[in-house]
Amino acid sequence: MDHVVFVGAGLAAAKAVERLRDEGYDGAVTVVGAEPHLPYERPPLSKDLLLGQQADPTVLAPGWWGEHGVTLHTGVRVTEIDRRGRRVRLDPGEWLDYDTLVLATGAEPRVPDLPGAGGALYLRTLEDGGRLLEVLRGGGRLAIVGAGWIGLEVAAAARSHDVEVTVLEAAVLPLAAVLGPELGRHLVELHRSHGVDLRTGVTVEAVLEDGVRTSDGVVEADHVLVAIGAVPAVGLAERAGLAVDGGIVVDERFRTSDANVLAIGDVANAMNTRLGRRLRVEHWDNAIRQGRAVADVLRGRDAVHDWLPYFYTDQFEFSMEYVGRSAPDDRVEIRGDRDANEFLAYWLAADDTVTAAMNVGVWDVNDRLRSMVGSRIAPADLPGPSGE
Ligand code: FAD
């Protein structure tokens, strides 16, 4: 039996090894993760955890690993891939042989090239989340650079601790490239109505000890969180000479430019046969789906990556699920009560093809929305929240 080695012990790797064992694969499996934790889910870090709610983000119970004969090294970084010798070097130096290598190294917060940026808070790990919770519990003023999903979720959590929050966004509207202008404005109004000082069209020039310097002057704050997106952790793959283009380039079966090396999760720029193009997706559901799918590939099943992207967010009373992938110039059709945050939104291409759909405060409809993506539907026929 082959020895499968996973680099990175995040959600994608955990879901892959779980599926391998569930489906009867009994070859040797090793997972090497740099963090000192069992694989855990990150979505609670900007939601439940910051709201002070108990949440166990561990993906597989501590006993699972021993019971299923999967070797897990935590707190161990892989520093080098020797593709010719089919082995990886572990920090601090010994080598581990593989037959098949799966890179699941995830992503890291984007650090802007600005004075003082190294001294800001970032949010990716359990430690980052714990530090931020302490900050929120301490009260005071928080400046958040970036009104993306994580920045806005943290802003909502911070308001529940009565923290004074200023969000600084360079674009004219937050998330407009994904949601379009109407829903971008909706998010601005939502946050402002909860006391978030959300400023758009503002360029941050420096992170200071007591705030941030912006194109509009200094914003004073006790703490600064930078949340301007993530970059895929491709360093290892690049040094090993694998094809990298905005993520590790893989085909629909997760194969890199080396047939013995695969990549999944946030780090993979994977061919999606449903969309007919490569896409790197930084979402929880993608890590789960690609983890399971790569396990099927490793077991020789005829699995391909054809699952439409899906993600969700919770901010104040705006809780939603989104499926598909819209283009910036798609038009948006809304059905239901936008002001009450109970509605469906559809993104339509010029020929009325549904490219994406979102349910806000309306549940158990996402599978129906998923089935509509890719179909041409006249706007008059787009159903509302109760299916009418
Ligand atoms: P990761 O979870 O990043 O795991 C990769 C692991 O690899 C890390 O532990 C890393 O330390 C390790 N690693 C990297 N390099 C090496 C190396 N050389 N050697 C050993 N180990 C290495 N998605 C949603 O859909 N909805 C949400 O609401 C949502 N909320 C989020 C909130 C936060 C705060 C964050 C950070 C992310 C959120 N996401 C959300 C995204 C989701 O968590 C990710 O898509 C998912 O974690 C990706 O899983 P992964 O296994 O690919 O990577």
Side-chain angles (χ1 to χ4, degrees):
M1 276 289 193
D2 279 0
H3 182 200
V4 183
V5 172
F6 289 80
V7 184
L11 181 59
K15 284 292 162 186
V17 298
E18 182 183 39
R19 172 81 149 216
L20 279 174
R21 286 303 190 236
D22 279 356
E23 297 295 322
Y25 181 86
D26 57 5
V29 181
T30 303
V31 179
V32 186
E35 292 188 68
H37 306 288
L38 294 172
Y40 61 91
E41 303 202 359
R42 298 181 198 275
L45 301 184
S46 51
K47 305 176 189 66
D48 319 39
L49 182 115
L50 294 187
L51 295 168
Q53 294 165 1
Q54 281 292 332
D56 177 8
T58 308
V59 184
L60 295 167
W64 185 92
W65 301 84
E67 285 161 18
H68 291 83
V70 175
T71 305
L72 172 66
H73 299 289
T74 55
V76 177
R77 182 166 284 280
V78 171
T79 56
E80 187 183 342
I81 304 169
D82 169 12
R83 291 203 282 133
R84 193 185 287 256
R86 286 209 206 163
R87 55 186 193 155
V88 290
R89 190 199 281 270
L90 310 183
D91 189 14
E94 83 254 36
W95 290 93
L96 177 68
D97 293 334
Y98 68 81
D99 296 294
T100 304
L101 186 68
V102 183
L103 300 175
T105 49
E108 292 156 2
R110 184 184 298 280
V111 179
D113 186 17
L114 291 177
L121 297 165
Y122 294 84
L123 182 55
R124 183 79 195 175
T125 64
L126 267 177
E127 288 76 9
D128 295 338
R131 208 171 302 130
L132 191 53
L133 178 60
E134 289 291 297
V135 162
L136 300 188
R137 284 191 166 143
R141 297 161 304 176
L142 175 68
I144 300 175
V145 181
W149 299 114
I150 290 178
L152 293 179
E153 287 176 359
V154 173
R159 290 301 298 141
S160 76
H161 294 272
D162 279 337
V163 168
E164 274 180 44
V165 190
T166 307
V167 178
L168 302 159
E169 168 58 48
V172 178
L173 286 170
L175 293 163
V178 185
L179 297 179
E182 180 178 353
L183 292 171
R185 268 192 299 277
H186 181 70
L187 282 183
V188 172
E189 286 159 17
L190 174 85
H191 279 260
R192 288 184 182 158
S193 73
H194 284 277
V196 176
D197 181 1
L198 200 162
R199 305 184 194 181
T200 58
V202 183
T203 309
V204 171
E205 295 169 349
V207 177
L208 312 171
E209 291 211 340
D210 55 356
V212 277
R213 195 176 70 235
T214 78
S215 48
D216 284 353
V218 170
V219 174
E220 291 186 359
D222 303 303
H223 301 279
V224 178
L225 172 77
V226 173
I228 55 165
V231 287
V234 294
L236 199 58
E238 267 175 344
R239 291 196 298 279
L242 295 169
V244 170
D245 179 12
I248 302 173
V249 174
V250 298
D251 66 14
E252 64 277 17
R253 291 183 177 81
F254 310 104
R255 305 259 173 219
T256 66
S257 47
D258 176 335
N260 300 310
V261 183
L262 295 85
I264 53 171
D266 278 12
V267 77
N269 186 8
M271 173 55 79
N272 183 312
T273 54
R274 178 84 191 272
L275 297 173
R277 64 188 165 108
R278 279 205 177 83
L279 199 62
R280 192 176 72 79
V281 178
E282 287 175 4
H283 293 312
W284 170 88
D285 176 70
N286 179 68
I288 294 173
R289 301 278 167 187
Q290 292 196 351
R292 290 179 185 153
V294 85
D296 291 346
V297 168
L298 291 172
R299 290 170 47 252
R301 299 293 182 275
D302 188 24
V304 293
H305 175 44
D306 60 359
W307 189 248
L308 285 173
Y310 162 97
F311 68 94
Y312 63 93
T313 188
D314 297 310
Q315 305 167 25
F316 303 116
E317 57 273 25
F318 183 86
S319 287
M320 66 77 154
E321 299 174 286
Y322 173 109
V323 62
R325 179 57 66 121
S326 61
D329 48 2
D330 288 347
R331 59 185 206 286
V332 186
E333 295 281 344
I334 291 177
R335 301 287 178 272
D337 190 342
R338 202 200 65 173
D339 294 341
N341 286 299
E342 286 178 12
F343 64 92
L344 305 181
Y346 300 92
W347 282 260
L348 300 180
D351 66 354
D352 287 343
T353 300
V354 179
T355 58
M358 174 171 82
N359 47 302
V360 180
V362 178
W363 306 111
D364 301 324
V365 294
N366 198 260
D367 285 345
R368 176 156 58 86
L369 299 184
R370 174 178 292 276
S371 70
M372 294 166 69
V373 173
S375 307
R376 284 175 70 175
I377 303 180
D381 296 332
L382 291 169
S386 47
E388 76 284 12

